[in-house]
Amino acid sequence: MTSTWIAAHRSAVLSPHEDFHLFEPRAFTDQTVRQSLRLAGGGDALRIRLSNRYGKEPLDIGGAHLATRTRGSGIDPATDTPLTFSGAPTATIPAGEELLSDPVERPAHAGEELVLSLYLPGDTGPTTYSAVAHDTGHAVPGNQLAAEVLDDAEELTTSHLLAGADVLAPTGTRIAVAVGDSWVEGAATTPGADNSFPAQLGRRLAHGWIVNQGISGNRLLTDEAGEHLLARLEHDVLDVPGVSHVLIHVGLNDIGLPGAQSFPEPPTGAPTAEDLIAGFTALADRLHTAGLIAVAGTLGPYEGAIYDGVDTPQGQATRRRVNDWLLGPDQPFDAVVDIAAAVADPAQPTRIRAEFNSGDGLHVNDAGAKAIADAIDTTLLDL
């Protein structure tokens, strides 16, 4: 049986140099940074993907270890494995580039929780990062790559430099990429529980798996947070090894962020429903041109969101118009899942149902993410 590298974990990255920050960027100097990840699928070997995509300077990696996680910042020392890069224990990632580790020749399993420890010897400058880490990360002074537990560690709620993991899987293995905003990334689900809706859906699949490329705050048409979806599509979807299907939820931030009091208004103002429909049509066309199956979701309810200026009559009208189009005969996707209906309050469908509301009126909790996952017919993901 032949094998090939397939994405088993992904974490879409943000620039620390954006004009507006929903999340606080940071730098590291002479520190060990330890972060966890969970594999969505398995294989006979694995490799780690690091990113300096938005760094302004080359980034020195003074060492990297991979181990099985125990709890908190702890690792199982019997599994601790130094990583190499082109045979060397250290590496420099040029500004704007990514780096793959050499393969770790050992079985990797779906659901396995791993810990990546990086020693960053110099001043990294503001690092390329992800908004929602798999779980709380940890940072300590000096080189503590092999430490079983990082004592008195600083806790990190964002993830830094870690872009993903690939596994060596049988040729023909196919996966789905979930892409879009915080509803995809699982921003309000329990850290470390792997309860985003793509993760919960992935556990229902008989074949293949799903990797998550959501970015909280991301938009379809306008940059920040992150490059807008149409701009990042090639890197975050088309170039993901093994992708055959794409799950999409995006558009709420296009509608809501321009009205937020703390968010700068784009020069063109809030997009119209027609603008979003044109963007979705372009998205579907690009996915189909690449030979991928595209499954879109309706825009989730958000009336009563606690963030000033996000919930507006204009935005609600735009959402209604876009959802009507997505559920109508003229939409261009292979299928549309009514995500909004899965979590809406039956008595007031513009609001998230109380038991699914994370508390802010804009995001769903673990139970809401499960309701979305359960609403998706797994035959749409013929992996």
Side-chain angles (χ1 to χ4, degrees):
M1 179 182 293
T2 59
S3 57
T4 189
W5 290 105
I6 302 292
H9 174 82
R10 281 297 183 271
S11 186
V13 295
L14 290 160
S15 170
H17 306 292
E18 291 186 343
D19 292 332
F20 179 81
H21 300 291
L22 290 171
F23 313 92
E24 193 62 34
R26 62 155 301 156
F28 302 93
T29 303
D30 185 26
Q31 289 173 278
T32 297
V33 177
R34 181 169 285 180
Q35 301 168 117
S36 61
L37 63 134
R38 193 187 302 271
L39 299 178
D44 294 330
L46 71 156
R47 63 187 186 184
I48 297 297
R49 184 179 299 267
L50 303 178
S51 180
N52 191 28
R53 188 177 180 190
Y54 298 111
K56 299 289 190 182
E57 302 292 338
L59 177 72
D60 291 330
I61 304 295
H65 282 206
L66 190 68
T68 300
R69 187 184 185 190
T70 53
R71 56 184 299 178
S73 69
I75 61 169
D76 176 359
T79 66
D80 190 28
T81 304
L83 297 180
T84 59
F85 307 91
S86 299
T90 63
T92 298
I93 312 176
E97 299 294 330
E98 294 186 341
L99 177 69
L100 283 170
S101 74
D102 296 331
V104 177
E105 302 288 347
R106 61 101 159 156
H109 305 287
E112 186 175 4
E113 194 171 23
L114 302 174
V115 172
L116 173 70
S117 300
L118 297 174
Y119 174 53
L120 305 171
D123 180 0
T124 64
T127 57
T128 298
Y129 72 105
S130 301
V132 177
H134 165 64
D135 202 352
T136 302
H138 300 85
V140 291
N143 185 340
Q144 299 192 43
L145 289 172
E148 185 172 351
V149 176
L150 300 182
D151 294 325
D152 301 319
E154 174 192 355
E155 293 189 344
L156 306 172
T157 58
T158 48
S159 175
H160 299 265
L161 309 175
L162 172 60
D166 301 334
V167 294
L168 195 60
T171 299
T173 300
R174 305 201 306 174
I175 66 170
V177 173
V179 69
D181 55 23
S182 55
W183 284 55
V184 173
E185 194 171 24
T189 58
T190 302
D194 209 33
N195 275 339
S196 67
F197 90 75
Q200 296 198 59
L201 175 61
R203 293 193 281 271
R204 296 177 54 213
L205 299 180
H207 305 284
W209 57 83
I210 304 171
V211 296
N212 193 320
Q213 292 277 46
I215 295 178
S216 295
N218 197 226
R219 295 188 277 186
L220 176 63
L221 303 176
T222 308
D223 289 345
E224 302 193 23
E227 291 182 287
H228 64 282
L229 183 52
L230 289 170
R232 68 183 181 98
L233 188 67
E234 182 171 357
H235 180 275
D236 287 355
V237 177
L238 305 185
D239 289 346
V240 174
V243 61
S244 64
H245 291 62
V246 184
L247 287 168
I248 304 146
H249 181 277
V250 72
L252 288 184
N253 296 310
D254 293 80
I255 293 169
L257 282 184
Q261 293 182 7
S262 60
F263 202 87
E265 180 79 18
T268 56
T272 65
E274 287 65 34
D275 293 332
L276 288 169
I277 288 169
F280 277 119
T281 302
L283 176 63
D285 287 347
R286 288 182 61 189
L287 293 173
H288 288 150
T289 297
L292 304 181
I293 303 298
V295 180
T298 56
L299 280 59
Y302 67 99
E303 184 178 347
I306 63 174
Y307 308 106
D308 289 343
V310 168
D311 179 15
T312 65
Q314 177 186 352
Q316 291 292 348
T318 298
R319 171 184 170 273
R320 183 168 56 252
R321 167 75 179 96
V322 171
N323 280 353
D324 287 346
W325 172 76
L326 284 169
L327 295 171
D330 298 327
Q331 60 82 18
F333 297 98
D334 296 284
V336 171
V337 176
D338 198 350
I339 287 176
V343 297
D345 182 343
Q348 199 168 1
T350 51
R351 290 178 177 265
I352 297 173
R353 194 167 169 167
E355 58 265 42
F356 297 155
N357 189 348
S358 68
D360 67 0
L362 182 60
H363 298 98
V364 295
N365 56 20
D366 292 16
K370 183 178 186 301
I372 295 171
D374 290 347
I376 299 175
D377 183 351
T378 56
T379 63
L380 296 177
L381 301 177
D382 181 20
L383 304 176

